[in-house]
């Protein structure tokens, strides 16, 4: 009987497993808005992705083809697993150290930094410590980190729009060379794209009226219809395609430089010295940022943007760990999830996992067809247009902090954001925010339960009884 029972149960469990995975697939990739909106949302985080990838490729010689192919698979996998436009972005602290500090990190040292960071996040995820951090960290401190990251994106975006940039020197080049008004990467082009995105997407909240159609006036119905038409325009996708076209117009010799086919995969040789340098210079500043912005802030923002579907901190932490423990050994750029990328993709229409699946398919085609020669196209992409896309992503992320309901919460959030911005360290701002939050709670703590803090009575006899009950 036991054998028969086992034989009949195994196919049943197999069918249930297939049914569960099929349900997961259909739920994650089900359209929650129009197809064009999902396509537009797919390019919402390229304002941060392209400059960092370009700098790492030109300065540190990271393999662009390998990076595109691996991040393509990451995008497709995260779209399926999370069911939201979960971004896959470069690890910014590692990229900044690799490009801006001298001597530059080698490819092996960059990979070692990514592997070290991934190992820490994987450990925090599988042990449940990340969920503990997520559950008990004060919301004002998390909002302060989000606000500082959003404003940092916005400040960088304004620099991209106003000044010429040289990403081969650093990902945040300080330059006073103003961008010309005219030209295929001029201020007029950037401002035109900015106004177009504002006109079509508004404040990013839909802009519609909540009243039922029966009580809407004729004028309001016309406005609502116009807003629906405008929001259906894949504005970010159109702006990005325009930038790609201008790449070839600016430098027609790109056609001659393009070579077809991906680069050959190979496993990097990473020595213990590479791990030591990569961990100290790259992983140490990256780990706090990854914990705060790539996991905790992403989960909080996901709950804000998609009510009822708040992500698991453990799942997100393990995801970051697994991605890099695989790809970095082949020379792919270290990546993580990011609240800014999620905000950008949501801002331009991404509502489901299908948005990042489209992005992944696009990266896969580019990596397989053009390989490393695609860097010629990226190097001529109008930086002003990237700045416009990054500006909207930064503002959307910063606006997540608008839910602070008291002066005390706003105080903690703003101090945390200010320290993070001026100190250029999310970890420093986070630490200050935690200390400030604890001090404010200490002021309100009731100490009357402690014997030494009990109020004195007016009678000496009662005082003696209080001391020696």
């Amino acid at each position: 009987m036991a054998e028969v029972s086992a034989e009949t149960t195994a196919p049943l469990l197999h069918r249930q497993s297939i049914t569960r995975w099929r349900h997961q697939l259909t739920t994650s990739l089900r359209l929650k808005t129009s197809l064009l909106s999902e396509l537009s949302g797919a390019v919402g985080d390229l304002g941060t992705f392209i400059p960092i990838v370009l700098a790492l490729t030109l300065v540190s010689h990271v393999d662009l083809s390998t990076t595109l192919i691996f991040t393509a698979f990451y995008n497709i996998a995260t779209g399926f697993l999370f069911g939201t436009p979960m971004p896959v972005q470069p690890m910014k602290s590692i990229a900044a150290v690799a490009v801006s500090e001298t001597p530059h990190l080698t490819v092996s040292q960059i990979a070692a930094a990514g592997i070290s960071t991934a190992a820490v996040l994987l450990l925090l995820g599988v042990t449940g410590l990340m969920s503990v951090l997520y559950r008990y960290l004060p919301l004002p401190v998390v909002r302060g980190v989000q606000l500082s990251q959003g404003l940092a994106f916005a400040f960088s975006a304004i620099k991209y729009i106003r000044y010429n940039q040289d990403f081969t020197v650093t990902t945040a080049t300080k330059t006073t060379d103003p961008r010309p008004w005219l030209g295929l990467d001029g201020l007029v082009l950037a401002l035109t794209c900015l106004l177009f995105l504002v006109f079509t997407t508004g404040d990013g909240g839909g802009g519609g009226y909540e009243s039922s159609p029966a009580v809407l006036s004729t004028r309001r119905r016309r406005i609502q219809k116009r807003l629906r038409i405008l929001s259906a325009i894949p504005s970010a996708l159109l702006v990005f395609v325009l930038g790609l076209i201008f790449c070839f117009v600016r430098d027609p010799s790109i056609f001659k430089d393009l070579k077809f086919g991906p680069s050959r995969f190979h496993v990097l040789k990473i020595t213990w010295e590479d791990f030591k340098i990569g961990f100290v210079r790259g992983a140490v500043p990256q780990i706090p940022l990854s914990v705060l912005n790539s996991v905790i802030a992403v989960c909080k923002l996901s709950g804000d943007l998609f009510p009822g579907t708040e992500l698991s901190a453990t799942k997100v932490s393990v995801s970051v760990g697994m991605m890099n423990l695989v790809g970095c050994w082949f020379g792919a750029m270290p990546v993580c999830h990011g609240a800014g990328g999620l905000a950008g993709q949501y801002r331009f229409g991404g509502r489901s996992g299908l948005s990042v699946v489209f992005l992944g398919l696009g990266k896969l085609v580019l990596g397989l067809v053009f390989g490393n020669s695609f860097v010629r196209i990226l190097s001529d992409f109008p930086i002003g247009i990237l700045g416009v896309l990054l500006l909207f992503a930064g503002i959307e992320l910063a606006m997540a902090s608008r839910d602070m309901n008291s002066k005390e919460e706003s105080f903690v959030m703003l101090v945390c954001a200010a320290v993070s911005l001026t100190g250029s360290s999310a970890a420093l701002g986070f630490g200050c925010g935690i200390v400030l939050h604890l001090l404010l709670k200490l002021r309100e703590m009731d100490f009357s339960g402690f014997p030494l803090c009990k109020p004195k009575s007016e009678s000496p006899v009662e005082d003696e009884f209080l001391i020696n009950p």
Side-chain angles (χ1 to χ4, degrees), residues 93-297:
S93 291
I94 293 177
V97 170
V99 173
S100 61
E101 291 188 4
T102 303
H104 299 309
L105 294 181
T106 65
V107 174
S108 295
Q109 291 166 356
I110 293 172
I115 293 170
S116 301
T117 305
V120 173
L121 265 66
L122 183 63
L123 180 64
L124 291 174
V126 297
T127 58
L129 292 176
M130 188 65 77
S131 294
V132 174
L133 288 174
Y134 176 70
R135 190 178 302 114
Y136 291 106
L137 283 180
L139 182 61
V141 178
V142 177
R143 291 294 188 238
V145 173
Q146 289 177 311
L147 178 61
S148 66
Q149 190 72 52
L151 292 177
F153 282 173
F155 296 158
S156 296
I158 298 300
K159 292 178 183 178
Y160 289 0
I161 295 172
R162 291 189 58 192
Y163 303 108
N164 290 319
Q165 303 294 315
D166 183 8
F167 294 121
T168 62
V169 177
T170 174
T171 55
T173 302
K174 295 180 179 179
T175 175
T176 57
D177 184 17
R179 188 174 301 283
W181 282 93
L182 301 178
L184 297 179
D185 190 14
L187 275 174
V188 172
L189 173 65
L191 294 177
T192 301
C193 293
L194 176 64
L195 295 176
F196 171 70
L197 290 175
V198 171
F199 183 72
T200 54
T201 66
D203 61 1
Y209 293 92
E210 298 297 329
S211 304
S212 62
V215 299
L216 288 177
S217 65
T218 303
R219 177 175 174 273
R220 286 192 172 184
R221 281 199 295 269
R222 287 200 303 266
I223 294 175
Q224 194 176 51
K225 182 179 180 181
R226 183 171 73 244
L227 291 176
R228 282 199 300 266
I229 294 173
L230 289 173
S231 62
I233 298 174
S235 51
L237 181 63
L238 293 177
V239 168
F240 181 72
V241 170
L242 178 66
L244 285 179
I245 294 173
F246 282 174
C247 288
F248 295 95
V249 176
R250 294 175 69 189
D251 188 1
S253 65
I254 292 177
F255 288 104
K256 299 179 181 179
D257 296 334
L258 291 179
K259 297 178 182 179
F260 297 100
S263 60
R264 182 176 298 178
F265 281 7
H266 65 279
V267 178
L268 292 179
K269 294 181 180 179
I270 306 178
T271 65
W272 285 113
E273 185 68 17
D274 292 329
F275 272 109
K276 185 178 72 173
I277 296 175
F279 178 80
V280 173
R281 294 181 57 191
V284 169
Q286 179 64 51
I287 289 171
L289 182 62
S290 291
V291 171
L292 295 173
N293 190 55
S294 301
V295 181
I296 293 174

Side-chain angles (χ1 to χ4, degrees), residues 1-11:
M1 291 294 292
E3 293 180 1
V4 175
S5 177
E7 290 177 358
T8 56
T9 303

Side-chain angles (χ1 to χ4, degrees), residues 372-390:
N372 286 327
S373 65
F374 188 66
V375 72
R376 281 288 288 112
I377 300 177
L378 293 183
S379 60
D380 280 301
F381 195 93
I383 304 302
I385 291 181
L386 290 180
V388 170
L389 295 175
L390 181 59

